[in-house]
Amino acid sequence: MEFSTMFWWFSCFLIIFLFNSLIQSFKSKRNGLPLPPGTMGWPYIGETFQLYSQDPNVFFANKIKRFGSIFKSHILGCPCVMISSPEAAKFVLNKAQLFKPTFPASKERMLGKQAIFFHQGEYHANLRRLVLRTFMPEAIRNMVPNIESIAQDCLKSWDGQLITTFLEMKTFTFNVALLSIFGKDEILYREDLKRCYYILERGYNSMPINIPGTLFHKAMKARKELSQILAQILAKRRTMKTEDNDLLGSFMGKKAGLTDKQIADNIIGVIFAARDTTASVLTWIVKYLGENPSVLQAVTEEQESILKSKEENGEEKGLTWEDTKKMPITSRVIQETLRVASILSFTFREAVQDVEYEGYLIPKGWKVLPLFRNIHHSPENFKEPEKFDPSRFEVAPKPNTFMPFGNGTHACPGNELAKLEMLVLLHHLTTKYRWSMVGAQNGIQYGPFALPQNGLPIILNPKK
Ligand code: HEM
């Protein structure tokens, strides 16, 4: 490159950089408040490259070390404030009038603009009431036998095979999600829904270019087909005139006041929220149990004692809701896995107005990221945070230091179902099977949830 061209490029960058700094310093003087400390990187590119060229947790941890628990940065074309103190996370997630959820437009189009995640106010509150009603403990307790039969079918199909744990767990959590949405009718639509949903999923993280041949285009087509299948299901339910207790029944009720489009967007949204999250956590549990024989033994003994006491009392073989309440050790393994793996490292909000927090300005339009993983991995909140130690949950964690299911207005309404399906699967896995991991097990991949490298290949065999 000639010297004059280089000089020209250098001058352009310098001007943009100075202009950007000027804007930032102007913004920081708004309300007389300073912006949080931190660096914004290059104009427009910001620090996206630094974030994505290394382990994101190292990026966040270095920033926290340098600037403290609240700092600014610039990623994916957006200025943002990142927060890692429990109190600040609670503040942001509970002040719905100050911080709204925010997603890239392409994701909204793919899942459906009317889905619960994207909304605030009355429409969101109505949807939340309907979803919570279906997933609260009293509503899901009757699902135990059906969840159990899905778990047993899955485990049988993995028997004696080399499997990719995450892929197989996705089948389990997908089938449980369909059960909770459509009741037992789900079996009729399972294969069609699965086929379309898998195409949709492959396009979810692709470049949003909607021309024939691209993953995004295929995903949008699959999304259309999903809506058509859901329209058929709705039409069939209407002719049957039954009042069902599942999520679809709840959405279709007269009082719900939802249109068919709103119902379809939210059904697809709930499948999206329920499946990969729970499957990722189950994959981590299989890994941690495999690496910690004494914990695995304690879980197995707890689960075997449930079987034994059922036998001694002449009770029927299948698990009941009450049995799932007798699993404190297994429950702590789930809690500790949720903490260590922190599959949702952070979430996004956007400031709807200028907000003052702890003497700093969070300007209107800036993204705000509560960093769940850093809260869960701070030695101030959890002693020896990198150690997998379920016994730490024998004592309740300090307030707001443990939020695997979020907090506040958009906190996870499916957390009870997630815990229930994990307990049921772990009961059968630990009492009837043993497994060994295949290949090196050190890496983590993000897609978008944190996951053991290659989805954790294992060989599963029945116990003698
Ligand atoms: C272990 C598994 C799961 C984890 C770790 C998890 C985590 C979360 C988190 C952190 C949020 C809040 C996100 C935010 O504030 O931005 C959330 C929201 C949500 N989750 Fe879950 N989730 C899990 C399983 C499920 C299941 C099984 C369902 C449905 C049956 C579900 C349905 C939802 C829905 C509908 C929302 C949106 C709520 C709203 O916007 O008001 N999740 N989840």
Side-chain angles (χ1 to χ4, degrees), residues 110-126:
M110 203 172 276
L111 291 181
K113 289 189 175 158
Q114 300 298 324
I116 183 168
F117 329 98
F118 311 130
H119 291 270
Q120 294 278 74
E122 231 170 84
Y123 175 67
H124 173 257
N126 182 34

Side-chain angles (χ1 to χ4, degrees), residues 350-364:
E350 185 181 310
V352 292
Q353 61 184 65
D354 282 358
V355 180
E356 178 185 349
Y357 186 75
E358 289 195 345
Y360 293 122
L361 171 71
I362 304 177
K364 179 181 173 183

Side-chain angles (χ1 to χ4, degrees), residues 298-349:
V299 170
T300 310
E301 281 169 10
E302 176 173 86
Q303 297 299 339
E304 281 172 349
S305 80
I306 289 174
L307 286 180
K308 202 167 156 220
S309 90
K310 284 171 90 71
E311 210 176 293
E312 283 168 2
N313 298 334
E315 288 174 33
E316 287 200 12
K317 268 192 178 159
L319 279 179
T320 61
W321 173 258
E322 287 68 29
D323 293 329
T324 66
K325 299 289 146 203
K326 295 175 195 152
M327 303 178 176
I329 299 175
T330 318
S331 298
R332 287 198 288 270
V333 165
I334 295 174
Q335 284 179 299
E336 178 67 340
T337 303
L338 286 164
R339 184 193 70 80
V340 181
S342 290
I343 57 141
L344 234 88
S345 302
F346 53 85
T347 189
F348 284 96
R349 293 291 186 270

Side-chain angles (χ1 to χ4, degrees), residues 139-323:
I140 58 174
R141 57 183 297 144
N142 297 328
M143 286 172 63
V144 174
N146 291 323
I147 296 178
E148 185 172 34
S149 112
I150 295 174
Q152 285 170 313
D153 287 350
C154 284
L155 285 163
K156 239 178 253 158
S157 73
W158 308 340
D159 200 328
Q161 317 255 351
L162 168 64
I163 59 161
T164 302
T165 312
F166 180 55
L167 288 185
E168 301 302 333
M169 290 300 180
K170 284 208 296 191
T171 302
F172 169 63
T173 54
F174 186 77
N175 292 348
V176 173
L178 292 199
L179 172 76
S180 69
I181 294 168
F182 302 111
K184 279 193 259 155
D185 286 352
E186 56 91 17
I187 205 95
L188 299 172
Y189 308 100
R190 195 191 269 179
E191 290 314 311
D192 277 347
L193 289 169
K194 195 179 275 175
R195 181 178 47 78
C196 294
Y197 193 81
Y198 277 42
I199 303 171
L200 180 77
E201 165 191 57
R202 257 184 276 138
Y204 186 76
N205 285 324
S206 64
M207 290 286 282
I209 303 169
N210 200 2
I211 50 173
T214 61
L215 282 177
F216 187 81
H217 184 75
K218 286 180 192 159
M220 291 308 289
K221 260 177 82 180
R223 174 66 181 75
K224 222 180 196 171
E225 206 183 324
L226 270 177
S227 294
Q228 286 160 358
I229 300 170
L230 291 170
Q232 282 173 25
I233 299 175
L234 286 173
K236 192 166 165 224
R237 279 247 176 138
R238 286 198 178 108
T239 57
M240 291 179 21
K241 295 197 173 119
T242 49
E243 277 190 19
D244 299 282
N245 293 330
D246 46 42
L247 186 65
L248 184 60
S250 185
F251 281 165
M252 287 178 73
K254 268 205 186 100
K255 277 194 198 149
L258 298 180
T259 64
D260 285 7
K261 160 116 180 73
Q262 288 170 335
I263 295 177
D265 287 3
N266 281 289
I267 297 287
I268 294 167
V270 167
I271 299 176
F272 173 80
R275 193 186 68 154
D276 285 19
T277 46
T278 318
S280 306
V281 178
L282 276 167
T283 305
W284 282 108
I285 294 177
V286 170
K287 177 172 158 58
Y288 293 142
L289 287 180
E291 288 171 349
N292 294 275
S294 59
V295 181
L296 174 59
Q297 192 182 338
V299 170
T300 310
E301 281 169 10
E302 176 173 86
Q303 297 299 339
E304 281 172 349
S305 80
I306 289 174
L307 286 180
K308 202 167 156 220
S309 90
K310 284 171 90 71
E311 210 176 293
E312 283 168 2
N313 298 334
E315 288 174 33
E316 287 200 12
K317 268 192 178 159
L319 279 179
T320 61
W321 173 258
E322 287 68 29
D323 293 329

